[in-house]
Amino acid sequence: MAAADEVLATLKTSGVHQFGVRINHAGDYPKKLRDARHPVEMLYYQGAWELTETRSIAVVGSRKASEDGQQRAAQIAKGLVERDFTVVSGLAEGIDRAAHTAAFACGGRTIAVIGTPLGQFYPKANRDLQLRIAAEQLLISQVPVLRYGKQNPNLNRLFFPERNVTMSALTEGTVIVEAGETSGTLTQARAALHQGRKLFILDSCFTRGDLTWPARFAAEGAIRVRKMDDIWAALE
């Protein structure tokens, strides 16, 4: 009880007054999350939990995305909304922000899976977007509130790739718009293949001479997307 009280106090101090939790092997914990190699024991959330039951696709990629990449992410998000999919991403800069924003612009649904506790904002520039998703859509965090505040801040970086694994498990598939050779996005690519989810990689990633990962994942079953219909055909 003391730990629970401390969690409540910490979240309240961060401005989080209403939230829910989901616990592995209990009631409303999504069965599809158990496809993760190490399912998260507890999730915190704000917003409409029922969005986890909708058909959803993750749209992810580089934080320092190109203008073309951000436009492609928005185009994909728009197409998903038009086909009644929920757009899932990680609320980072670049591709993630473009995907969430486009989903809102089209009047669609979006879920953000963040790498910080509820009430923390990274990057700070996405604060307003995070608050809007929490209020109108669904915001999920698997980050232990007390551990995050007490451990070495450098270790907290590990929560970002861990949340990519959860993001993949929540969805039918992941679309990688663009990503470098060492991008955390590749954690999600590996997770998607391991979990039996579809992995889509845009053709623009394959045509970059400085990247080896697209061909590697294609050899393992990823779908090369030359036109948007390649995504829609695979989802049907």
Side-chain angles (χ1 to χ4, degrees):
M1 282 298 294
D5 289 343
E6 190 177 352
V7 168
L8 289 171
T10 300
L11 289 174
K12 187 173 182 180
T13 300
S14 299
V16 177
H17 300 285
Q18 290 187 314
F19 68 95
V21 297
R22 290 291 181 264
I23 299 172
N24 192 9
H25 299 301
D28 294 328
Y29 188 91
K31 291 180 181 178
K32 53 193 171 185
L33 278 188
R34 298 192 183 115
D35 289 338
R37 185 166 290 165
H38 303 290
V40 180
E41 292 305 313
M42 189 164 104
L43 298 168
Y44 298 86
Y45 73 93
Q46 290 178 289
W49 183 255
E50 58 269 24
L51 291 187
T52 61
E53 300 302 320
T54 62
R55 294 191 73 186
S56 60
I57 295 291
V59 181
V60 296
S62 297
R63 286 179 165 86
K64 300 194 180 301
S66 67
E67 192 66 36
D68 284 347
Q70 293 177 64
Q71 290 176 359
R72 291 187 186 106
Q75 178 187 3
I76 293 165
K78 181 175 184 291
L80 288 168
V81 168
E82 290 171 348
R83 289 160 177 80
D84 200 32
F85 281 86
T86 298
V87 177
V88 181
S89 201
L91 203 63
E93 296 177 278
I95 298 301
D96 291 14
R97 182 181 175 89
H100 289 303
T101 302
F104 268 123
C106 300
R109 303 182 302 266
T110 191
I111 298 172
V113 185
I114 58 174
T116 62
L118 299 181
Q120 302 289 323
F121 304 94
Y122 185 85
K124 299 293 187 186
N126 282 353
R127 178 188 176 93
D128 288 347
L129 180 57
Q130 180 170 321
L131 291 172
R132 185 180 180 191
I133 291 173
E136 301 176 20
Q137 300 290 322
L138 178 61
L139 182 73
I140 297 174
S141 170
Q142 67 189 58
V143 180
V145 174
L146 302 184
R147 179 177 157 197
Y148 185 91
K150 294 177 180 178
Q151 73 179 8
N152 186 318
N154 287 331
L155 294 176
N156 287 336
R157 297 175 185 174
L158 299 175
F159 290 123
F160 287 92
E162 289 173 5
R163 70 87 146 81
N164 284 93
V165 177
T166 296
M167 206 189 312
S168 171
L170 271 175
T171 57
E172 291 183 34
T174 290
V175 181
I176 298 180
V177 179
E178 63 180 31
E181 281 288 281
T182 60
S183 173
T185 300
L186 304 188
T187 299
Q188 186 154 337
R190 288 187 288 272
L193 293 174
H194 174 262
Q195 295 160 354
R197 307 300 195 251
K198 290 182 172 64
L199 176 61
F200 302 97
I201 303 172
L202 297 200
D203 187 58
S204 52
C205 296
F206 288 88
T207 57
R208 280 180 54 179
D210 60 330
L211 299 179
T212 62
W213 65 262
R216 187 170 71 252
F217 285 119
E220 295 178 27
I223 299 167
R224 182 170 180 168
V225 179
R226 293 182 172 87
K227 56 185 185 303
M228 291 301 105
D229 284 346
D230 294 336
I231 298 177
W232 315 138
L235 292 176
E236 288 172 2

